[in-house]
Amino acid sequence: DSCPNQGGTGCTMGAVTRPLVITTGSTSVRIPLTVLTRPLLPSIAAGGVVNGANFQPGAVAPGSMIAVFGTELSRATEVAPAALPAGLEPFQEVTFQNSLKGLVAPRFFYATPAQLGFQIPWEMPLGPNALRVSYDSAWGGGQSQWEPFQVAAVAPYIFVWGDNRGAVQNSDTTLNQPLNPAAAGSLITVYLTGQGLVDPPIPNGAPSPAVPLSQVQSLATATIDGQPADVQFAGLTPGYVGLCQVNLTVPPKTAPGEHRLVLNIGVVASNAVAISTR
């Protein structure tokens, strides 16, 4: 049988006795039946290690936010408070196959049985890697299989919502959307992850400070419908973990309507997202 408790008091090997009732005509016989219980083991879906911005397959970068999909990845649902740096005290541990000794996921943003969200350590070596999810003995022990993924120096992904709309703020910090477009020539802020190394560096799991700002080391550029847009700043968002922002100016001659925005960190292009202008 499976472990009956998935919600917060642990689950270890044991036994549960239930009555088995056999009825023949008007005669019933009750037989005590002992069933062994076992903890359900975590399992990562094939290709289930993805970036945390749009959940599409591809490489992830050191210091970025990633997601892992599967089953029994957490014994309970835990979401960090409104401020992402608050983090979690998870019931599980994520370890990496090709990494420095003892390197683990430094900060969980959320944990559910079907999905985990956390930061990849800054020191993660580039190239092929793998991770697994493990429980300590207090939570029944057990671990998932190793699930492969690729680490690249930069792997920018813009956060999305709705129908592939970018997580973009207008100059007044309101959400960019068709009913609230940005003015041509105005400054907008685009949120992403996977920007790669930053200067000054930030410790694993630590929120980025406001002073000094931690800036992306590689050159950041942007285009709107293929036309260059001036980048004013590219760096980590103060007060958050693994979250990057690019502040850019919408070209003054941009026509009203829907447009295609792409960011480049170095020579690596992000996913294309929709933005609105007026």
Side-chain angles (χ1 to χ4, degrees):
D1 190 13
S2 299
C3 180
N5 188 342
Q6 300 298 307
T9 59
C11 183
T12 57
M13 184 69 74
V16 175
T17 300
R18 297 285 188 268
L20 174 63
V21 180
I22 301 175
T23 302
T24 303
S26 61
T27 304
S28 295
V29 178
R30 296 172 64 88
I31 302 174
L33 181 66
T34 299
V35 179
L36 294 178
T37 63
R38 59 175 175 79
L40 292 173
L41 298 179
S43 178
I44 302 173
V49 181
V50 295
N51 75 84
N54 70 347
F55 303 146
Q56 295 302 303
V60 296
S64 64
M65 302 167 71
I66 75 166
V68 175
F69 291 89
T71 58
E72 303 303 327
L73 299 178
S74 176
R75 297 294 192 220
T77 295
E78 296 284 333
V79 179
L84 287 179
L88 297 170
E89 294 294 333
F91 304 121
Q92 64 285 313
E93 180 179 74
V94 172
T95 54
F96 303 94
Q97 197 170 48
N98 303 324
S99 64
L100 302 175
K101 184 177 180 181
L103 196 60
V104 298
R107 180 71 65 135
F108 281 79
F109 304 120
Y110 55 85
T112 74
Q115 182 181 347
L116 301 177
F118 52 88
Q119 182 191 32
I120 284 283
W122 291 103
E123 302 88 350
M124 188 64 61
L126 306 184
N129 211 318
L131 61 79
R132 70 182 178 190
V133 179
S134 305
Y135 291 111
D136 62 25
S137 58
W139 287 88
Q143 58 194 21
S144 72
Q145 82 283 13
W146 289 105
E147 181 60 29
F149 67 101
Q150 192 77 15
V151 182
V154 295
Y157 297 95
I158 301 173
F159 285 86
V160 296
W161 64 280
D163 187 15
N164 196 44
R165 300 203 60 83
V168 177
Q169 286 181 331
N170 296 332
S171 57
D172 61 359
T173 73
T174 58
L175 181 65
N176 180 273
Q177 53 187 309
L179 295 179
N180 188 39
S186 67
L187 190 72
I188 61 174
T189 300
V190 186
Y191 292 96
L192 67 148
T193 193
Q195 74 294 318
L197 297 182
V198 294
D199 183 33
I202 305 297
N204 288 324
S208 178
V211 180
L213 291 170
S214 187
Q215 301 191 47
V216 176
Q217 289 189 3
S218 300
L219 177 65
T221 58
T223 60
I224 295 177
D225 290 345
Q227 300 303 309
D230 290 337
V231 171
Q232 307 298 323
F233 170 78
L236 297 182
T237 302
Y240 290 83
V241 176
L243 181 64
C244 180
Q245 69 182 69
V246 170
N247 301 344
L248 60 93
T249 302
V250 178
K253 295 184 180 181
T254 302
E258 297 296 288
H259 303 280
R260 181 178 182 268
L261 167 68
V262 176
L263 300 177
N264 287 268
I265 305 296
V267 297
V268 182
S270 72
N271 52 315
V273 298
I275 64 167
S276 302
T277 63
R278 57 181 170 85

